[in-house]
Each structure stands twice: as C-alpha cells, then as structure tokens.
Amino acid sequence: AQTVTQSQPEMSVQEAETVTLSCTYDTSENNYYLFWYKQPPSRQMILVIRQEAYKQQNATENRFSVNFQKAAKSFSLKISDSQLGDTAMYFCAFMKAQGAQKLVFGQGTRLTINP
Amino acid sequence: SQTIHQWPATLVQPVGSPLSLECTVEGTSNPNLYWYRQAAGRGLQLLFYSVGIGQISSEVPQNLSASRPQDRQFILSSKKLLLSDSGFYLCAWENRDNEKLFFGSGTQLSVL
C-alpha cells in the first residue's frame, strides 16, 4: 500500500517570501503521479500542480514549482513570491498510473502567509 | 467545460436518520467518480469509487453505501446515521485523458 507523509503540520511566512512544503511517499510502483492540492478556508480542494513520475523535469505552474526526487521518494512544493491568498491547507497526494485512479493523501500542512 | 455539483453544502441530521448526498458531473462522459471524507483537520480518506454505472468499490467498511444510477450521478447514502459519520464529504471526478481529479465543493455533515 502507498503512504504519503507530510512532516510539517504548520508553516508561516511573510508575504512575498518563498516557502517550501515537504512531502515524502512510499510505493513499490514505478509509474505514478504526484499532486499538490490546496484547500483554502472555503474547503474547496483545488489542484495546484501535478507531476508524472516518468518525467525527470520538475513541473511548474506560475509561482508554484516542485522538486521531485524519485529515488528519494520526495516531492516538495515551492511557492515563490507568496501572497495572502496562498493561505490554506496544502495536501500532497499519490496516485498509481494503472487502474481506477485513487488518490492517497498526506495529512496536510497548514500554511499561513502573514502581511 | 466540465463542472461538478455537490449538494447540500451543509447538513445537520439526528442519529439514526437516513442520509442521501448527491453529486453530478457535467460536460464529460463515463468519468471515474469518487467519494472522500475529511475529518476535522485531517487528510482525505477514500470511501467509494466507481468506474461505471452500477459499479461501486468500497475502500473501508462502514455505515455508508454508494450508488451510481446514471453515468454522471454518484450518491452517498446511509440507512441510519451514526455520530461517527460526521465529517466533510467530498465528491470528485477523474478526467481520464490527463489523470487529474477535480473535487466538488463538499458537504459538511453533522450528526447530533
């Protein structure tokens, strides 16, 4: 079974700073996907970024980028030029590439951006 | 474009009462559909998933059941709610073209 671990329950940074959220996972699969989801106070789950395990290039989406280290099973999220609207819970998630695509989530990191 | 609708947004039910939460998807066909539950301050736990009409897989034994009477409709039910059924329930659909899951806005269920 796959597991996802987020070791930082809470983080806090000042607006405009860069912050990195950590995530590690455990799997015996070779083909899979990794995700970061954002859950603001509205509780809507919003897809931030996705990484395919077979791609060496790290995914980027505007101010959001990942550092994917497949051998180390590490998948961190970097938020550059952080904004007040980035305040949210962030969840790392794993999904196998075959079969029904069931997401396995970490426990989340509560990120607060201070003005 | 594809959209997912989930209702109601909030629900307060007494112990022992029935439950029916509905989720519908628009703008796509034959999606994989999912029900997740989120306990307060915790991550999401997969409850059920469906790859087609009438096809339901359960991930954890529980007091809940799911049904998929139509291609884009997914229903979460219970005959008799327990206190432990309280939580935030999220429906999701999967875009099979790019293996991404998109979530509905969720239902906060309080069983009293």
Side-chain angles (χ1 to χ4, degrees), chain A residues 33 35 37 39 42-45 47 50 89 91 95 97 99-108 110, chain B residues 32 34 36 38-44 46 49 51 59 88 90 94 98-105 108:
Chain A
Y33 303 95
F35 302 83
Y37 279 87
Q39 189 178 39
S42 67
R43 304 192 77 176
Q44 174 82 47
M45 290 291 285
L47 177 62
R50 184 186 79 142
M89 282 287 287
F91 292 96
M95 184 167 77
Q101 316 294 29
K102 298 173 284 184
L103 278 172
V104 176
F105 286 86
Q107 291 301 301
R110 184 175 302 280
Chain B
N32 288 342
Y34 303 82
Y36 282 85
Q38 184 180 28
R42 302 285 300 278
L44 277 70
L46 178 63
Y49 68 94
V51 299
E59 287 294 296
F88 189 61
L90 286 154
E94 179 199 344
N98 58 19
E99 291 88 21
K100 292 181 179 179
L101 262 71
F102 298 94
F103 287 83
S105 54
Q108 178 62 52

Side-chain angles (χ1 to χ4, degrees), chain A residues 5-6 11 13 16 29 37 40 45 47 49-51 55 58 61 70 78-80 82 87 94 100 103-104 112:
Chain A
T5 303
Q6 293 178 249
M11 295 188 71
V13 298
E29 302 286 331
Y37 279 87
M45 290 291 285
L47 177 62
I49 201 165
R50 184 186 79 142
Q51 174 78 41
K55 286 187 177 180
N58 289 324
E61 289 287 344
K70 189 172 184 180
K78 185 173 81 171
I79 305 174
S80 303
S82 58
T87 293
F94 170 99
L103 278 172
V104 176
T112 301

